[in-house]
């Protein structure tokens, strides 16, 4: 089943130096852009992370320090990547919890303010786990009847993810061929930031989801404990979390002034 698209969707996959969204860096990025008319374009870049890639991580994706030492940095590639995905929906495998948060961190570090408003994100892994509880290689075998050659290679993973989503739509009649619906179905708990430090309560108000103020409204905490804002800004939190917190603080201030 072909995807019903109202605008392009970019499936992407990252290979990185590790799994810490705040600290780790991209070493390879592949983007498969699918247009509403069915046309596709694919781009893959190796990236110099400007830091050592740990041996245990190299053992997973096979990208060595020597392989990326002469490749462009993300800061050099950032604008090109941003231009490619701007105005598109996003798709990936475990992308809501890892790939999107880390990509946004890299963009912010490159002084590129990527905005997720009016963008939906379809996480194929969540759909798969809700339906079958398996891995990407197993998903590719289960849905497409194929062996995933080159697993943990960004380009192979993006193409497989795209094919799996189409096959999921063929297999499950209750899945709607609509990116907004699929994004809602593939999302877990709703968060204001990507890393999950700020979530929403039942009324749609931001609350902290960690630490001593877990479950407390962000605006209330910032008003009663103003030093907490400074602590988060100076601590090792993701840049996007800090950006969201700043926006909430400014919104509260503007509401007081108006």
């Amino acid at each position: 089943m072909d995807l019903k698209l109202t605008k392009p969707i970019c499936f992407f996959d990252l290979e990185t130096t590790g799994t810490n969204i705040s600290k780790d860096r991209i070493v390879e990025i592949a983007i498969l852009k699918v247009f509403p008319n069915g046309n596709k374009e694919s781009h893959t870049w190796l990236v110099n992370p400007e830091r050592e890639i740990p041996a245990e991580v190299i053992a997973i994706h096979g990208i060595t320090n020597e392989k990326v030492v002469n490749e462009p940095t993300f800061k050099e590639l950032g604008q090109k990547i941003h231009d490619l995905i701007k105005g598109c929906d996003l798709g990936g495998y475990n992308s809501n919890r890892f790939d999107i948060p880390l990509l946004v961190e890299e963009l912010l570090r490159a002084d590129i303010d990527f905005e997720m408003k009016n963008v939906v994100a379809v996480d194929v892994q969540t759909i798969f786990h809700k339906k079958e509880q398996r891995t990407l290689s197993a998903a590719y075998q289960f849905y497409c009847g194929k062996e995933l050659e080159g697993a943990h290679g960004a380009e192979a993973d993006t193409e497989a993810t795209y094919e799996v989503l189409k096959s999921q739509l063929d297999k499950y009649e209750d899945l709607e061929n609509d990116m907004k619906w699929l994004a809602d179905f593939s999302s877990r708990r709703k968060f204001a930031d990507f890393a999950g430090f700020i979530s929403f309560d039942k009324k749609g108000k931001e609350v902290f989801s960690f630490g001593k103020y877990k479950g407390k409204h962000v605006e209330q905490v910032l008003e009663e404990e103003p030093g907490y804002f400074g602590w988060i800004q100076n601590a090792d939190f993701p840049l996007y979390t800090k950006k969201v917190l700043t926006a909430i603080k400014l919104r509260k201030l503007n509401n007081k002034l108006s």
Side-chain angles (χ1 to χ4, degrees), residues 8-11 31-35 39-41 83-84 88:
I9 182 170
C10 287
F11 293 91
I31 299 175
L32 176 67
K33 188 171 186 176
V34 183
F35 294 87
N39 290 344
K40 299 184 294 181
E41 61 177 87
D83 291 344
L84 183 64
C88 301

Side-chain angles (χ1 to χ4, degrees), residues 93 97 123-143 164 168 171-172 185-186 188:
Y93 197 86
R97 291 194 295 176
D123 193 330
V124 173
Q125 184 195 60
T126 304
I127 297 174
F128 185 37
H129 284 180
K130 284 186 174 182
K131 293 294 187 179
E132 303 296 344
Q133 307 292 315
R134 305 256 177 98
T135 63
L136 177 57
S137 295
Y140 197 53
Q141 175 64 50
F142 182 86
Y143 288 111
V164 166
Q168 287 174 329
K171 183 175 179 63
Y172 304 113
F185 184 79
S186 64
R188 292 181 172 86

Side-chain angles (χ1 to χ4, degrees), residues 5-11 32-37 39 84-90 119-120 179:
L5 302 175
T6 57
K7 60 182 176 180
I9 182 170
C10 287
F11 293 91
L32 176 67
K33 188 171 186 176
V34 183
F35 294 87
N37 63 5
N39 290 344
L84 183 64
I85 66 176
K86 184 178 180 181
C88 301
D89 291 329
L90 299 176
V119 174
V120 300
M179 295 307 105

